């Protein structure tokens, strides 16, 4: 045993212990050379006396002693030069780029979580105490001592079974000697164990009740209750029984397709003939496509500006439609992430200050839509798509006829992508008016131009971002208006399937354009004549004077009735069945009429606005207006709200937007908010969205601004708590009728009943 001298065994033997653990006596004795071997090596003169020849490379530098003694220090570090130290990442929360910490030079090849405790820790001591072992306080990383106080060292020297004397191996121990040594060791262990048990009993009696106790040799015994080892993973097991769907087998039997075996001898000349036939077929198809293009445009097709055509051709050659659609979706995602706050305002914002204001509201600016090439143009027309509530069309041109741009444009924007228009169409002149088809064909767009022409575009089969050519176009001298087309409107489809739309121009004529048989045919509806005698002309010819049409609107229910506003300030009620008669006439304004619109809930009510600063509400078959509002500046456009029968909006040239609600205030607007600077720009057009509570406003700088209405600007009537249940449409009609009953004047005044009884 280590720490106790062993008794020498019988015989002259010397015990030699190996330095390494587990080495055999043969390995230990192999390091001792015999004298006869050394003498043989010394006598061999050829082996010992022969000198060693050193080989030297011819390029080796000869160094002197000082240079050889010089020490050159080289430091090796673990820095990895390939790891970047300037990594950044964009934080959407902070709206900026933030530095990313360096990954460092430490490379972890393997990570394994063990379940061992350190023997000096609290848990390790408790476990050793339960196993019957304890530690000395001064033992840091040594072996563990058992209860008898002897230290179990892993590096202890094992007892050799053999010895050597003068280089010779000693014989192994016999069984008798081993039994004698084993008996002596057990006696020694028993004596030491009795002494240690007595010391432990005395020490435990002195420190009874304490958490720790020391033995005679300074070891610490922990009196801790048995503690369950902590769970390394801390998980819970749960089980649930779910319903298993029954398996079903469905089998069908089909008729196998017909098969045929074809065998033919193919030679070089048959292959050549097949290629020739295919090439001739392709040439015939190209000629047919060219003929179709000529017939659909009605004349020489206009290819648009050269820059746009080259760009579209190059884009179509390099990119496919599938790649463009994917790029469009990615662009929408980026824009929604960039303008995330505006998107939340559009969806969830409600002005809390409206609770403290009963008759006033506000407009919250949202997105601004613009295009780089249309910055200096005027927004002349706006139109929402009836099918896709987030899509609207914008017409770009100029209201100044002395400074017309070299080209015009129609851009289709979407609320999902505010940075770039979805489609762009370039025209040879400025755009005055646009309109989406309201029924069945929402992909058709009618466009009125400054030079008197009209065009029809289709976005159904157009490539992304580009509208190359119009589907139909009036390009002849006789088949167009003489002056600018101020407004276009789609009509109801004819019984034979033809699609008509109407246009009014400054030349005093209203045309009906019919799209049929890939042609655009024109029909004169009415010529707007002034109630003035004709003036004499050359050769004793009288020339009748015509009015200049600026705006018109069709009746919501009677599709053959429409109203026309003129530059002289009059409004005419006309019919498509009579080409020379007016049904009614109103002297509405003192300056040109800019807009006319029917109420969507009551077709007998309509509004008009003009350059005389006034917005007027009219009723059919009445010569005087029901309401008159003066905003203090020329009005560019006005429109009824689709959600309320008494609300409408108007924009003025001083850069302000006005919102009216006749059920709340019959004398003033409930919201008047400045959107642009008064001296620099003016507002020209306005349009309500049919689904969302927003409006879009255009100005003369080519910018379209979207605004959200506060709750006070879109109040709806409350249904009665008791009685008949009304739908929202009936409630709006009832609210408007109640308002009109307060301002209408009876045609015949009847005396009161009490007056009749007294006179009789």
């Amino acid at each position: 045993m280590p720490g106790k001298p062993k008794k020498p065994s019988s015989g002259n033997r010397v015990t030699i212990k190996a330095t390494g653990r587990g080495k055999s006596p043969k390995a230990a004795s192999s390091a001792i050379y015999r004298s006869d071997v050394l003498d043989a090596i010394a006598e061999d003169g050829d082996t010992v006396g022969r000198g060693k020849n050193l080989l030297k490379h011819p390029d080796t530098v000869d160094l002197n002693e000082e240079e050889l003694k010089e020490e050159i220090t080289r430091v090796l570090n673990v820095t990895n030069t390939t790891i970047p130290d300037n990594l950044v990442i964009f934080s959407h929360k902070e709206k900026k780029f933030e530095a990313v910490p360096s990954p460092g030079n430490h490379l972890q090849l393997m990570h394994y979580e063990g379940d061992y405790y350190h023997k000096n820790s609290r848990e390790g001591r408790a476990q050793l105490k339960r196993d019957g072992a304890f530690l000395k306080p001064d033992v840091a990383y040594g072996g563990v001592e058992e209860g008898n106080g002897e230290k179990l060292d892993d590096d202890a020297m094992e007892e050799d079974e053999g010895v050597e004397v003068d280089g010779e191996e000693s014989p192994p121990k016999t069984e008798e000697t081993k039994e004698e040594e084993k008996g002596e060791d057990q006696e020694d262990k028993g004596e030491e164990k009795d002494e240690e048990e007595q010391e432990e009993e005395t020490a435990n009696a002195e420190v009874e009740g304490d958490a720790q106790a020391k033995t005679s040799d300074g070891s610490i015994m922990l009196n801790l209750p048995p503690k369950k080892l902590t769970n390394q993973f801390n998980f819970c097991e749960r089980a649930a029984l779910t319903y298993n769907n029954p398996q079903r087998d469905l089998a069908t039997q089909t008729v196998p397709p017909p098969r045929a075996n074809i065998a033919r001898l193919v030679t070089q000349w048959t292959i050549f003939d097949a290629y020739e036939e295919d090439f001739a077929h392709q040439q015939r198809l190209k000629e047919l496509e060219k003929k179709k293009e000529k017939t659909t445009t009605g004349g020489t097709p206009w290819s648009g500006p050269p820059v746009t055509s080259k760009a579209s051709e190059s884009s179509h050659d390099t990119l496919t439609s599938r790649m463009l659609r994917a790029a469009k979706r990615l662009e929408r995602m980026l824009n929604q992430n960039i303008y995330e706050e505006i998107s939340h305002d559009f969806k969830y914002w409600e002005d809390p200050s409206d609770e403290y204001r009963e008759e006033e509201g506000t407009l919250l600016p949202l997105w601004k839509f613009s295009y780089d090439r249309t910055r200096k143009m005027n927004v002349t027309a706006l139109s929402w798509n009836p099918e896709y509530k987030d899509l609207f069309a914008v017409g770009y041109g100029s209201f100044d006829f002395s400074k017309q741009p070299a080209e015009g444009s129609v851009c289709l924007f979407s609320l999902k992508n505010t940075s770039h228009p979805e489609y762009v169409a370039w025209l040879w002149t400025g755009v005055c008016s646009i309109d989406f088809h309201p029924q069945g064909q929402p992909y058709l767009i009618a466009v009125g131009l400054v030079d008197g022409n009209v065009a029809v575009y289709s976005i159904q089969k157009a490539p992304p971002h580009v509208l190359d050519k119009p589907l139909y176009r009036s390009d002849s001298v006789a088949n167009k208006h003489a002056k600018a087309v101020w407004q276009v409107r789609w009509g109801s489809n004819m019984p034979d399937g033809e699609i008509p739309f109407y246009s009014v121009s400054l030349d005093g004529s209203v045309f009906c354009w019919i799209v049929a048989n890939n042609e655009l045919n024109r029909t004169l509806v009415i010529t707007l004549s002034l109630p003035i005698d004709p003036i004499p002309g050359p050769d004793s010819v009288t020339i009748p004077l015509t009015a200049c049409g600026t705006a018109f609107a069709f009746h919501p229910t009677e599709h053959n009735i429409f109203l026309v506003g003129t530059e002289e300030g009059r409004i005419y009620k006309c019919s498509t069945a009579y080409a020379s008669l007016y049904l009614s006439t109103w002297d509405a304004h003192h300056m040109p009429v800019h807009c006319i619109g029917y109420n969507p809930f009551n077709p007998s009510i309509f509004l008009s606005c003009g350059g005389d600063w006034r917005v007027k509400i009219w009723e059919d078959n009445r010569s005087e207006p029901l309401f008159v509002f003066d905003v203090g500046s020329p009005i560019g456009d006005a429109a009824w709200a689709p959600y309320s029968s008494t609300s409408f909006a108007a924009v003025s040239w001083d850069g302000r937007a006005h919102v009216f609600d006749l059920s709340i205030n019959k004398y003033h607007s409930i919201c008047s908010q400045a959107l642009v600077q008064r001296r620099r720009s003016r507002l020209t057009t306005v349009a309500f969205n049919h689904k969302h509570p927003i409006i879009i406003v255009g100005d003369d700088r080519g910018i379209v601004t979207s605004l959200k209405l506060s709750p006070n600007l879109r109040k709806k009537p409350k249904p009665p708590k008791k009685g008949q249940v009304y739908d929202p449409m009936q409630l709006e009609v009832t609210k408007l009728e109640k308002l009109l009953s307060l301002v209408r004047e009876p045609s015949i005044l009847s005396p009161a009943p009490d007056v009749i009884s007294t006179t009789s």
Side-chain angles (χ1 to χ4, degrees):
M1 294 295 294
K4 186 177 180 180
K6 293 181 178 294
K7 296 180 181 180
S9 58
S10 60
N12 296 327
R13 295 186 298 173
V14 179
T15 303
I16 300 175
K17 295 185 179 181
T19 57
R21 184 178 180 182
K23 292 183 179 180
S24 61
K26 294 181 180 180
S29 61
S30 61
I32 302 175
Y33 293 93
R34 295 183 178 181
S35 59
D36 54 348
V37 177
L38 294 175
D39 295 339
I41 295 174
E43 292 176 357
D44 190 358
D46 296 337
T47 305
V48 178
R50 186 182 300 173
K52 296 182 179 179
N53 295 327
L54 299 178
L55 299 178
K56 186 177 181 182
H57 196 273
D59 296 335
T60 304
V61 180
D62 296 332
L63 301 177
N64 52 21
E65 294 182 358
E66 296 180 356
E67 291 176 349
L68 291 174
K69 293 179 180 180
E70 181 181 359
E71 295 182 358
I72 299 176
T73 305
R74 291 187 179 182
V75 180
L76 300 179
N77 53 30
V78 294
T79 303
N80 190 356
T81 57
T82 61
I83 297 178
D85 57 351
N86 55 353
L87 294 176
V88 295
I89 188 172
F90 184 78
S91 175
H92 293 279
K93 181 179 179 181
E94 303 294 337
K95 306 298 183 182
K96 65 179 182 179
F97 285 93
E98 296 183 350
V100 178
S102 177
N105 300 313
H106 178 72
L107 182 61
Q108 182 174 349
L109 298 180
M110 186 184 71
H111 176 73
Y112 176 75
E113 294 184 0
D115 53 356
Y116 292 95
Y117 295 111
H118 196 273
K119 58 187 177 182
N120 290 337
S121 63
R122 183 183 180 86
E123 292 82 359
R125 290 176 177 272
Q127 188 173 7
L128 293 175
K129 191 257 180 185
R130 287 194 302 270
D131 295 341
F134 57 90
L135 295 175
K136 288 185 178 181
D138 57 347
V139 177
Y141 297 95
V144 179
E145 293 189 358
E146 294 184 353
N148 55 7
E150 291 187 358
K151 184 177 179 181
L152 301 179
D153 192 358
D154 294 339
D155 297 332
M157 304 292 290
E158 291 187 354
E159 183 178 358
D160 297 331
E161 296 182 358
V163 296
E164 294 181 359
V165 179
D166 297 335
E168 297 181 357
E169 295 185 1
S170 61
K173 298 179 181 180
T174 61
E175 295 180 359
E176 297 178 357
T177 56
K178 288 182 179 180
E179 290 179 359
E180 293 176 359
E181 292 178 0
K182 186 175 181 181
E184 293 175 358
D185 293 340
Q186 288 179 357
E187 292 177 0
D188 296 338
K189 287 183 180 180
E191 295 175 358
E192 293 178 1
K193 188 174 182 180
D194 295 337
E195 295 176 358
E196 290 177 359
E197 288 179 356
Q198 293 177 1
E199 292 177 358
E200 288 179 4
E201 291 178 359
T202 55
N204 291 335
E206 294 176 358
V207 293
E208 183 178 1
D210 296 340
Q212 294 181 353
K214 294 184 178 180
T215 59
S216 60
D217 56 353
S219 300
I220 298 174
M221 293 292 294
L222 300 178
N223 299 326
L224 297 177
K227 182 179 178 182
K228 185 179 180 180
L229 298 180
T230 57
N231 191 353
Q232 292 279 334
F233 303 97
N234 190 15
F235 68 93
C236 299
E237 292 185 358
R238 293 183 180 180
L241 182 61
T242 59
Y243 177 74
N244 296 328
N245 296 325
Q247 297 182 356
R248 297 178 181 178
D249 295 336
L250 181 63
T252 57
Q253 185 175 3
T254 59
V255 179
R259 298 181 180 180
N261 296 328
I262 299 175
R264 187 176 179 181
L265 180 61
V266 179
T267 57
Q268 294 182 355
W269 51 84
T270 56
I271 297 174
F272 178 79
D273 294 341
Y275 274 102
E276 289 292 332
E277 291 178 1
D278 183 68
F279 180 76
H281 180 67
Q282 292 179 2
Q283 295 297 325
R284 287 194 297 269
L285 292 178
K286 290 181 180 179
E287 292 178 359
L288 291 175
E289 290 180 357
K290 291 181 180 179
K291 291 181 180 179
K292 287 182 180 180
E293 291 178 357
K294 291 182 180 180
T295 55
T296 53
T297 55
T300 305
W302 180 75
S303 59
V307 178
T308 306
S309 62
K310 291 181 180 178
S312 62
E313 290 176 1
S314 61
S315 63
H316 293 167
D317 294 337
T318 55
L319 300 175
T320 61
S321 60
R322 187 174 180 181
M323 294 175 63
L324 291 175
R325 290 175 185 173
K328 182 186 290 186
R329 293 177 183 176
L330 181 61
E331 186 179 12
R332 288 183 177 182
M333 294 170 61
L334 292 176
N335 278 277
Q336 290 179 7
N337 290 334
I338 294 173
Y339 302 104
E340 182 181 4
E341 297 180 357
I342 300 179
S343 301
H344 284 285
D345 292 341
F346 163 73
K347 193 68 177 178
Y348 306 108
W349 178 83
E350 300 293 345
D351 193 355
S353 60
D354 280 7
E355 299 179 0
Y356 310 100
R357 298 178 300 196
E358 295 183 358
E359 297 184 357
E360 293 182 358
T362 57
L363 297 173
L364 176 67
L366 297 176
W367 300 282
K368 288 188 177 182
F369 303 87
S370 61
Y371 190 40
D372 294 338
R373 296 183 59 182
T374 59
R375 280 286 187 178
K376 297 182 180 180
M377 298 183 185
N378 298 342
V379 178
T380 56
L382 294 173
S383 179
W384 285 96
N385 190 285
E387 181 70 21
Y388 301 97
K389 306 303 180 182
D390 63 315
L391 186 67
F392 63 93
V394 184
Y396 293 97
S398 178
F399 291 107
D400 189 358
F401 292 98
S402 62
K403 297 180 181 179
Q404 285 294 323
E407 58 185 4
S409 176
V410 175
C411 296
L412 273 68
F413 289 94
S414 175
L415 299 179
K416 300 177 182 178
N417 185 6
T418 60
S419 62
H420 194 275
E422 298 291 324
Y423 296 93
V424 179
W426 292 101
L427 296 100
W428 57 94
T429 186
V431 177
C432 289
S433 57
I434 54 177
D435 188 34
F436 275 105
H437 195 281
Q439 300 174 356
Q441 291 86 12
Y443 51 85
L444 294 179
I445 309 173
V447 182
L449 305 177
V450 174
D451 60 353
N453 285 310
V454 294
V456 178
Y457 282 89
S458 175
I459 60 175
Q460 186 179 20
K461 297 182 180 180
H465 300 299
V466 178
L467 291 175
D468 290 334
K469 298 177 183 179
L471 188 63
Y472 305 100
R473 173 193 171 193
S474 62
D475 57 351
S476 62
V477 177
N479 194 28
K480 72 167 191 173
H481 287 280
K483 295 183 179 180
V485 181
W486 272 112
Q487 198 163 5
V488 291
R489 282 289 181 268
W490 288 96
S492 59
N493 295 345
M494 295 184 176
D496 55 354
E498 296 176 345
I499 306 174
F501 69 93
Y502 298 84
S503 62
V504 62
S505 174
L506 292 177
D507 60 358
S509 59
V510 179
F511 286 163
C512 175
W513 304 87
I514 300 175
V515 179
N517 298 327
N518 295 328
E519 293 181 358
L520 195 61
N521 301 322
R522 184 195 68 173
T523 303
L524 178 64
V525 177
I526 192 173
T527 300
L528 305 176
S529 60
L530 293 175
I532 303 175
D533 296 335
I535 60 175
D539 298 334
S540 301
V541 177
T542 58
I543 302 175
L545 298 178
T546 58
C548 299
T550 55
F552 75 119
F554 276 85
H555 198 276
T557 57
E558 300 178 6
H559 302 296
N560 58 337
I561 304 299
F562 62 93
L563 299 175
V564 181
T566 62
E567 198 170 14
E568 292 75 23
R570 292 186 177 89
I571 296 177
Y572 300 105
K573 183 179 181 181
C574 308
S575 174
T576 57
Y578 306 99
S580 60
L581 296 177
Y582 297 141
L583 302 180
S584 299
T585 304
W586 292 271
D587 291 331
H589 299 272
H590 301 288
M591 295 185 72
V593 179
H594 290 162
C595 178
I596 300 175
Y598 274 101
N599 190 295
F601 297 92
N602 191 339
S604 63
I605 305 299
F606 63 92
L607 65 79
S608 65
C609 66
D612 57 352
W613 304 2
R614 290 178 176 86
V615 180
K616 297 183 180 182
I617 308 298
W618 303 84
E619 186 178 10
D620 200 0
N621 301 325
R622 286 183 177 270
S623 59
E624 297 297 329
L626 300 176
F627 299 94
V628 179
F629 301 96
D630 192 337
V631 300
S633 179
I635 300 174
D637 194 9
W640 286 102
Y643 55 84
S644 176
S645 60
T646 58
S647 299
F648 63 92
V651 292
S652 56
W653 289 6
D654 60 352
R656 303 184 72 86
H658 309 270
V659 181
F660 298 84
D661 194 342
L662 303 178
S663 63
I664 298 176
N665 194 329
K666 297 186 290 295
Y667 305 101
H668 303 284
S669 62
I670 61 176
C671 177
S672 180
Q673 186 170 329
L675 303 180
V676 295
Q677 295 183 3
R678 182 174 182 178
R679 295 182 180 180
R680 293 187 178 182
S681 58
R682 62 185 184 182
L683 302 180
T684 57
T685 54
V686 63
F688 277 90
N689 189 282
H690 301 287
K691 181 180 179 181
H692 305 290
I694 63 172
I695 60 174
I696 50 176
V697 178
D699 57 16
D700 60 348
R701 296 281 182 175
I703 300 175
V704 179
T705 306
S706 58
L707 307 163
K708 185 175 182 179
L709 305 172
S710 64
N712 282 355
L713 301 182
R714 44 188 170 91
K715 286 184 177 180
K716 295 183 179 181
K718 297 181 180 180
K721 297 181 180 179
K722 297 181 180 180
Q724 186 179 359
V725 179
Y726 296 93
D727 59 352
M729 184 73 175
Q730 293 177 349
L731 293 175
E732 292 293 340
V733 173
T734 305
K735 181 178 69 172
L736 181 59
E737 289 295 336
K738 184 178 179 179
L739 176 66
L740 295 177
S741 63
L742 301 176
V743 297
R744 284 173 179 165
E745 295 181 359
S747 57
I748 300 175
L749 296 175
S750 59
D754 57 344
V755 177
I756 297 176
S757 61
T758 55
T759 54
S760 60

